[in-house]
Amino acid sequence: MRQTLTEIYDTRVAAGTLRPDPGQHAVLPLLEDLRAWLEANPTRRVGLFAGLFARPVAPPKGLYLWGGVGRGKSMLMDLFTEATDIAQKRRVHFHAFMQEIHRGMHAARQTGVEDPLTPVAETVIRDTRLLAFDEMQITDITDAMLVGRLFEKLIAGGTVIVTTSNRPPEDLYRNGLNRVLFLPFIAHLRDRMHVVELESPTDFRQHRLAGAQVYFHPVGASHGELQRIWQDLTGGAPGTPLRLSVNGRETVLPQFSTGVGRASFWELCGRPLGPADHLAIAQACRVLILEDIPQLGSTNYNEAKRFVTLIDALYEAKVRLICSAADVPERLYVEGEGSFEFERTASRLREMQGAGWGL
Ligand SMILES: Nc1ncnc2c1ncn2[C@@H]1O[C@H](COP(=O)(O)OP(=O)(O)OP(=O)(O)O)[C@@H](O)[C@H]1O
Ligand SMILES: [Mg+2]
């Protein structure tokens, strides 16, 4: 029997996998309306005679759900996307989606089209009735300009957009270069989407991690613990690689799901990544699970240096770090060049283990 989203949510509360939250509850009917409409109109119905007999029905407004970290936006979006029984649905991380658009436009340019966004948007419209994308944030002028035109095309084409963000539309691309060019998009977004704040007092992510051990050593036995934490935070999602664009290049975070990233020390510090890569990773994650931090010293000086920039970036961005290491922070790097500077890193690693860190 088909359950409404509210019923599914309440079932999970009864089962103890979710805690009841009035703010989340209030959003469910809106999502349910969208779900019902999508299930009744799963495609645009552009068949042979569509132009003659049936005009495509105008889709309802999409949803822009915003609020503080850990309030459950991604969880609600997942619940909604999974429960919506249509084939043409896609749930994607904002960064990953924009990368795809950039790649598509690059390919379209080779064919000499006048506006490379047009064919790219048409493909999305053809394949996607519901586009759910998580963590909309706009930090550069290229994306700022592109997102506005893209939204306009997708919405006009009949794709329903549901998105989450930590900011209200008015604060997107705040203090950005040439921001005035971005303002029409904010007005358009307000006009075409329901803008809803998820008003919940609880940061459920902190809640889950409160009092939990987050620094494990030695490495050997801790893999299972980290796996359990990953399971708990992501609901057991497999996690997909997150491709971040950094100064026109691509940096890959090997596993990512609902704000939680996961990588080994060697994946982030054993390859020639620079501070810009670490900043991008820190900005993309609320929580980072970092495995296998080895004993550091003069033989792996470069890895140690990268580790210092990574920790600095995570610290500045107030990312929750969960890690396994060869030893306690103070004994990770005791000899070799820069070991004095490493004291600050060790002290940060300590501070980041505190229960209130990242709040
Ligand atoms: N009502 C709830 N009861 C228990 N756990 C919850 C509840 N809502 C969310 N969570 C859990 O809390 C964590 C954070 O939720 P979620 O990732 O959806 O937050 P978010 O609002 O998307 O945060 P962010 O802005 O950082 O992306 C997840 O592990 C999620 O499963
Ligand atoms: Mg989220």
Side-chain angles (χ1 to χ4, degrees):
M1 202 191 73
R2 185 182 185 281
Q3 286 187 305
T4 64
L5 294 177
T6 302
E7 284 164 348
I8 299 174
Y9 183 96
D10 289 344
T11 308
R12 294 190 187 175
V13 169
T17 49
L18 288 180
R19 292 158 46 91
D21 181 272
Q24 294 179 350
H25 230 259
V27 177
L28 293 169
L30 263 174
L31 289 168
E32 183 62 40
D33 285 351
L34 274 182
R35 177 187 178 212
W37 187 89
L38 286 163
E39 288 179 354
N41 302 273
T43 62
R44 288 169 68 230
R45 270 184 284 185
V46 277
L48 196 50
F49 303 108
L52 287 177
F53 300 123
R55 281 178 176 278
V57 192
K61 288 184 177 186
L63 178 68
Y64 179 103
L65 184 63
W66 70 275
V69 298
R71 268 32 185 199
K73 299 178 297 297
S74 302
M75 184 277 292
L76 291 174
M77 178 181 260
D78 286 345
L79 178 69
F80 162 71
T81 322
E82 275 159 30
T84 301
D85 189 16
I86 63 170
Q88 291 195 335
K89 61 179 175 182
R90 248 191 102 185
R91 190 233 196 253
V92 64
H93 189 267
F94 182 69
H95 279 303
F97 184 64
M98 290 311 287
Q99 290 269 311
E100 182 184 315
I101 298 294
H102 283 296
R103 272 196 299 272
M105 285 176 65
H106 181 74
R109 265 187 215 106
Q110 317 295 311
T111 68
V113 288
E114 199 180 315
D115 178 4
L117 184 59
T118 304
V120 177
E122 275 167 5
T123 309
V124 178
I125 292 165
R126 191 194 59 212
D127 299 339
T128 328
R129 184 58 148 172
L130 165 64
L131 180 63
F133 61 64
D134 207 13
E135 294 184 21
M136 171 149 164
Q137 47 169 303
I138 293 169
T139 47
D140 74 50
I141 182 75
T142 324
D143 275 355
M145 296 298 89
L146 193 58
V147 164
R149 295 209 304 130
L150 180 63
F151 264 55
E152 227 162 286
K153 285 181 188 294
L154 297 186
I155 293 173
T159 296
V160 174
I161 299 176
V162 173
T163 185
T164 77
S165 169
N166 288 127
R167 302 157 177 259
E170 288 67 27
D171 288 353
L172 285 173
Y173 195 50
R174 200 174 48 185
N175 307 327
L177 200 66
N178 291 331
R179 185 166 189 272
V180 58
L181 299 174
F182 185 69
L183 298 179
F185 170 58
I186 295 176
H188 183 258
L189 201 151
R190 279 263 171 211
D191 188 44
R192 301 301 164 84
M193 296 180 84
H194 288 292
V195 176
V196 175
E197 180 180 3
L198 178 55
E199 286 185 277
S200 163
T202 316
D203 177 345
F204 287 101
R205 194 178 291 120
Q206 285 294 345
H207 210 273
R208 280 178 184 247
L209 284 171
Q213 185 182 353
V214 292
Y215 190 101
F216 296 88
H217 71 94
V219 166
S222 37
H223 186 76
E225 289 290 331
L226 295 186
Q227 176 61 18
R228 195 188 49 72
I229 293 175
W230 166 268
Q231 291 265 350
D232 185 47
L233 288 175
T234 62
T240 46
L242 178 63
R243 294 171 200 287
L244 300 159
S245 128
V246 180
N247 303 333
R249 289 178 295 105
E250 198 177 86
T251 248
V252 181
L253 181 61
Q255 259 187 298
F256 183 84
S257 175
T258 62
V260 185
R262 186 174 179 180
S264 74
F265 173 88
W266 299 102
E267 284 163 333
L268 299 192
C269 304
R271 294 184 294 131
L273 300 186
D277 301 278
H278 290 152
L279 278 177
I281 289 166
Q283 249 137 44
C285 299
R286 315 279 187 257
V287 179
L288 180 68
I289 300 181
L290 185 67
E291 296 191 62
D292 301 344
I293 304 168
Q295 192 77 55
L296 298 160
S298 44
T299 48
N300 45 22
Y301 173 68
N302 285 326
E303 287 79 7
K305 227 170 58 182
R306 287 187 208 114
F307 182 60
V308 169
T309 39
L310 174 65
I311 298 304
D312 281 344
L314 298 173
Y315 182 90
E316 295 300 332
K318 289 218 168 289
V319 173
R320 268 288 212 159
L321 176 68
I322 299 167
C323 57
S324 62
D327 209 333
V328 295
E330 294 74 17
R331 283 204 296 271
L332 279 178
Y333 190 90
V334 285
E335 36 122 348
E337 204 183 329
S339 58
F340 177 71
E341 285 75 12
F342 195 82
E343 275 181 30
R344 183 173 52 103
T345 304
S347 139
R348 290 188 160 188
L349 281 170
R350 280 272 167 211
E351 185 183 350
M352 292 166 87
Q353 292 173 45
W357 170 259
L359 282 176

